[in-house]
Amino acid sequence: PTIKTLKDGKVHEAVTETPRFDKIVNFRVVSSPVKDKGGNIIAAIEVVEEVTGSVRAAARLDKFNKCFLNFGPNPIININLLTTLCGELLGATCALYNRIEGGIICSIGQWQAPKDYLTGDKAEGHICFDVVNQAKNEILIVRNLMESKYAKSDPNVARYKLRTYMGKAVNTKRGFVGSLCAAYQDDVDPTEDDKKLMGIIASAIAIEEERRLIGESLREKERQQEA
């Protein structure tokens, strides 16, 4: 904006991106002209303000809106959209929504799951199984996964060299049914905003699970009436 100000003598504003270590930092730059007594432009004054948080929040809100606008009548498709939203906004290596069914962990929602990933496996030992069994609304974060008990009990930890896990149990009116998780191959320390975001998405998945169960119940009644 400074070059434009020096050319036309007007106030200009811009938001810039600057790499800093392992992240991008956003700055809002406002450039104002400085003129001499004759009205000639002799300099420009810049006011710089870091706005990384607000820029990130606006980008996340935009993605939330786009996700919900793409919702359709199929709860499973919507759950996959929400799982994708979780993975993208949290910058995960992969994101999953795992439902526990009869002792089996079933990956209903997937984003960037490895090609050889097992979508159904014995639930016991998996981190997501513990998240659901604990029946709590708190976010579970496990760092240094390779040094935790899950390095042996959860086959995905060693197989995919995972280092950080972040998960939230999905709570419906019928109880805790599954777990939304973001997995990382890097050491990650999630922020409070990250935790709130996962909580919101997990709540949205719970609504879709309720819709699915209601739909299945209605279809079962229709079958019984037709029999």
Side-chain angles (χ1 to χ4, degrees), residues 33-170:
V34 177
K35 301 180 180 180
D36 61 17
K37 294 181 179 179
N40 299 308
I41 303 168
I42 57 175
I45 297 177
E46 277 191 350
V47 176
V48 181
E49 175 188 14
E50 184 178 345
V51 291
T52 306
S54 59
V55 169
R56 189 183 186 196
R60 283 181 164 182
L61 180 60
D62 182 59
K63 286 194 174 184
F64 259 106
N65 291 334
K66 288 179 179 177
C67 176
F68 290 129
L69 286 172
N70 286 323
F71 268 27
N74 189 325
I76 300 301
I77 293 176
N78 296 342
I79 286 173
N80 270 280
L81 289 172
L82 289 165
T83 305
T84 296
L85 180 68
C86 176
E88 290 180 344
L89 294 187
L90 294 179
T93 300
C94 72
L96 301 166
Y97 169 60
N98 292 314
R99 187 192 297 151
I100 309 299
E101 298 178 339
I104 300 297
I105 188 166
C106 305
S107 296
I108 306 302
Q110 299 180 44
W111 177 77
Q112 290 194 169
K115 292 181 179 179
D116 61 345
Y117 174 74
L118 294 176
T119 57
D121 195 10
K122 182 180 177 182
E124 190 173 353
H126 284 262
I127 311 176
C128 284
F129 179 69
D130 285 355
V131 171
V132 177
N133 267 2
Q134 288 172 10
K136 296 180 180 179
N137 285 312
E138 291 85 359
I139 302 289
L140 174 66
I141 297 172
V142 183
R143 298 171 70 182
N144 300 316
L145 278 169
M146 293 300 294
E147 299 174 12
S148 73
K149 64 179 183 180
Y150 296 110
K152 293 182 178 180
S153 69
D154 189 328
N156 294 321
V157 172
R159 182 182 298 159
Y160 303 116
K161 299 179 181 179
L162 302 178
R163 296 181 63 189
T164 306
Y165 171 95
M166 179 180 179
K168 170 74 171 64
V170 171

Side-chain angles (χ1 to χ4, degrees), residues 196-215:
K196 290 178 182 177
L197 185 149
M198 175 168 274
I200 293 170
I201 297 176
S203 296
I205 288 178
I207 293 172
E208 293 304 309
E209 283 283 36
E210 290 284 357
R211 290 182 60 242
R212 178 185 66 84
L213 292 170
I214 292 171

